[in-house]
Structures are given as C-alpha cells and as structure tokens.
C-alpha cells in the first residue's frame, strides 16, 4: 500500500485548522510519519493524528478520555479509530466536521491525556 502525505484541498484545510488549535498548547510539535499521517504531539506522544487515502477522504483522530469517547460514539459522525480505538481514540471524517472550533475541547483533552503533569498544570492555570 502506498502512503502519501495529506495533499487534497479538504485535507490541507483540515491540517491548517487543527494546527491553529493544537499549536496554541505548550510544547506541541507537528510530525509526519512514514505512513504520511500528520500528528500533533506533546512529549513525543500523539494526541491528534490526521490522514487521508481512504475512499471517504481525510480523517481526524483524537485521543480522549474513555467517557468522552463513549459519549462521542453515540453521535452520528464519530467512530472508534481503527487499531487504537481501544486506547480512547475517536475519529471523524473531515467532510463531517461542521466547525473545527467545535473540536477544540477534544483536542485540548487529548493534549492533557498525553502531556506531562507539569504542562497540564501550566495549561490549567491559563485562561482559554
């Protein structure tokens, strides 16, 4: 299987929107892996992974708490992320995202799941 970086217009818009939200958080890095997935990481732990290549277009996966995952899975467009869903990952296709700002709390939650305690404390002390 050939893996390519995100290159569709819809995929690039998704990456730009998520980048704007994720890079507001302390010590976040962006990385593209060997599969062409773009991820946002803290302490080298991913909390957002995006990719494309399926027939349904680009997708966004986020690490969330299990309780949040259960709640999101009751909504129409969210689904358990293949291979890593049992670790609390949930995904949505870019075409089903009405506003990336609506996902900001979940991106922040994923960050707090992956970040070291010192960064979580730092973030909790900051206004949004």
């Amino acid at each position: 299987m050939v893996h390519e970086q995100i290159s569709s217009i819809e995929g690039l818009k998704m990456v730009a929107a998520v980048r704007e939200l994720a890079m507001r958080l302390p010590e976040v890095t962006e990385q593209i892996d060997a599969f062409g997935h773009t991820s946002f990481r803290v302490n080298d732990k991913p909390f957002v992974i995006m990719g494309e290549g399926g027939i349904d277009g680009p997708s966004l996966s986020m690490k969330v708490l299990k309780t949040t995952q259960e709640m999101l899975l009751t909504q129409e467009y969210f689904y358990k992320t293949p291979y890593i869903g049992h670790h609390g990952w949930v995904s949505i296709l870019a075409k089903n995202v009405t506003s990336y700002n609506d996902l900001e709390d979940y991106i922040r939650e994923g960050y707090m799941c992956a970040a070291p305690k010192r960064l979580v404390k730092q973030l909790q002390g900051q206004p949004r």
Side-chain angles (χ1 to χ4, degrees):
M1 180 176 202
V2 176
H3 298 286
E4 297 178 13
Q5 275 185 237
I6 295 172
S7 59
S8 69
I9 291 170
E10 188 178 29
L12 293 172
K13 284 181 181 178
M14 172 183 69
V15 171
V18 173
R19 178 183 293 127
E20 184 178 325
L21 298 171
M23 296 307 279
R24 294 178 188 168
L25 301 166
E27 298 184 27
V28 170
T29 59
E30 182 176 341
Q31 183 177 321
I32 298 172
D33 67 18
F35 298 103
H37 299 129
T38 299
S39 64
F40 291 93
R41 300 167 169 264
V42 60
N43 208 29
D44 203 35
K45 292 182 184 175
F47 61 96
V48 173
I49 301 173
M50 296 171 287
E52 74 179 342
I55 58 171
D56 294 323
S59 64
L60 164 67
S61 302
M62 301 169 288
K63 171 83 169 136
V64 292
L65 297 169
K66 292 276 191 176
T67 52
T68 303
Q69 181 191 43
E70 289 171 16
M71 183 269 302
L72 289 173
L73 292 176
T74 66
Q75 297 182 24
E76 183 178 3
Y77 294 116
F78 288 94
Y79 59 96
K80 194 178 274 193
T81 306
Y83 309 110
I84 57 175
H86 61 284
H87 293 296
W89 285 81
V90 67
S91 297
I92 187 169
L93 296 175
K95 67 183 179 186
N96 295 326
V97 176
T98 53
S99 166
Y100 285 96
N101 288 331
D102 292 345
L103 301 177
E104 183 173 12
D105 287 342
Y106 306 124
I107 291 169
R108 188 179 175 99
E109 182 175 305
Y111 172 88
M112 293 176 83
C113 288
K117 287 179 181 158
R118 68 178 174 80
L119 292 177
V120 171
K121 284 181 184 174
Q122 180 181 332
L123 189 62
Q124 289 171 334
Q126 292 178 353
R128 289 190 141 202

